[in-house]
Amino acid sequence: MTAGIRHDEMRKRNRALVIAAARQSGQPSRTEIAKLTGLSHSTISAIASGLIEEGTMREVGQGDAVPLRRGRPQVALSLNPDAASVVCLYLSFNSLSVALVDYRGETIAIRKHRIPTLEMTRDELLDATIAAVRDLAQGQRGFLRIACAVQGITDSAERELLWSPITPLSALPFGPALEDAFGVPSPVQNDCNMMAVALRWLNPERYSDNFIAILLSHGIGMGLMLNGKMFSGTRSSAGEFGHMVHEPGGALCRCGRRGCIEAYAGNYAIWRRASGKGPDEKPVVDIEAGEMEKLAELARREEGPARQAFREAGRAMGYGLGNLFALIDPAPVAIVGQGTAAFDILEPEIRCALAETAGGQHAEAISFETLPSATPLILHGAAMTALTGLDRDVFAPGLRTSRQAEPSPKERSAQFSRMA
């Protein structure tokens, strides 16, 4: 390897560090970037000057900066929101949310569409997704990436939705369809993985290298961060906590199998048990939030089927977490979604079941945080996935030859025009 190539690789690495520091901190000064990255002030100044000149970064006015010491105030740096934009999609049961996000991570526009996911054909579902992106982008500046979050299992190559309870269809090629329509990279991600990505950006002190994000709603999902990396399988997104077996041969699950954690802890399972229906009863497609709130209030007031249903749900969750902790050791847990409204009923049973497992020893030290709304987290995680992909592939790209200069603002504008 020549000295010139080594220098270019180091420059690429340092440039990526500065962009990442600005994305994490919002509006850091050069001094703050130096603390975050370990780079010298001269290196940061040189990289920042180049990023500012090309339009990727900009300085915040001195009047907006808070002095860190006497004398001249520190000048803050910020990613330029106009440098690029990305589209974020979230496909869930009967719902398609789509957002346009600028390079700094701020939402420019967002729309939500109601679509009958269980009834749509393959072409109808793919066409509706493409149409939602076109509708959002009409009259807007072009975008450089699409991040598609879906409720269900995706393939490890991030190209397809393999299976989902929201549609009877399988192997839906959302990635290739979006890329053919718009000409930009369009990875397909599991929705719970995107929740975990968002949590790590929003609260890095609690959610750092090892933690679990569990979706507690009509179904049960999980995003698992291990050693700073999102866990995924060799063939699929994996992490299907809700479909770990709690009771072999037990209650019927939406996946068609029996005894899954979800078949006891999902909204449909709690409603089924509280309503006096048997474990062989086919899961209902959806339950209104108000109906689940009524069941929770009834469970709080008196003994009976409703309270027993929530107890069984909590124990299924607790045993599942205990088994997981036996493999990875205890870690912070975020419980996300509409089911958190009844977490005060569930938590004692979760902790009781945890304490009975090898992975749940010292269960009292295991911490839970509840967050009632999943969609904003999922869209935020999709946005950060798309933006950090741009950081890596466009704004801090791989080694270039001497003839491959980085795109100028004019060239980037031409890219936008071609994709609009």
Side-chain angles (χ1 to χ4, degrees), residues 76-230:
L77 296 171
S78 170
L79 296 176
N80 182 3
D82 298 326
S85 62
V86 297
V87 168
C88 308
L89 286 165
Y90 175 37
L91 177 66
S92 57
F93 175 67
N94 285 350
S95 178
L96 177 61
S97 298
V98 56
L100 184 66
V101 178
D102 67 28
Y103 188 58
R104 196 169 58 187
E106 301 294 328
T107 300
I108 300 170
I110 186 168
R111 291 181 188 171
K112 187 172 182 178
H113 305 265
R114 296 294 297 176
I115 56 175
T117 56
L118 285 173
E119 303 167 14
M120 299 175 82
T121 66
R122 180 180 301 268
D123 287 344
E124 286 171 343
L125 199 48
L126 294 173
D127 289 347
T129 305
I130 292 168
V133 175
R134 282 213 175 97
D135 177 62
L136 181 77
Q138 188 173 10
Q140 301 280 357
R141 185 177 43 134
F143 49 87
L144 294 183
R145 207 173 186 94
I146 300 171
C148 183
V150 292
Q151 184 181 343
I153 302 173
T154 61
D155 68 317
S156 57
E158 302 177 350
R159 310 296 290 159
E160 297 182 342
L161 173 60
L162 298 178
W163 174 87
S164 175
I166 70 172
T167 173
L169 306 171
S170 60
L172 285 160
F174 284 104
L178 290 166
E179 288 173 5
D180 287 347
F182 301 104
V184 298
S186 305
V188 182
Q189 311 272 3
N190 170 265
D191 57 349
C192 294
N193 286 353
M194 294 300 94
M195 289 191 326
V197 169
L199 289 168
R200 198 170 189 225
W201 280 96
L202 295 170
N203 189 358
E205 290 187 7
R206 175 177 169 83
Y207 302 110
S208 55
D209 290 344
N210 298 283
F211 66 90
I212 300 161
I214 291 181
L215 179 65
L216 183 58
S217 188
H218 197 67
I220 308 291
M222 180 181 72
L224 177 62
M225 190 75 69
L226 291 178
N227 299 320
K229 294 183 178 180
M230 182 62 64

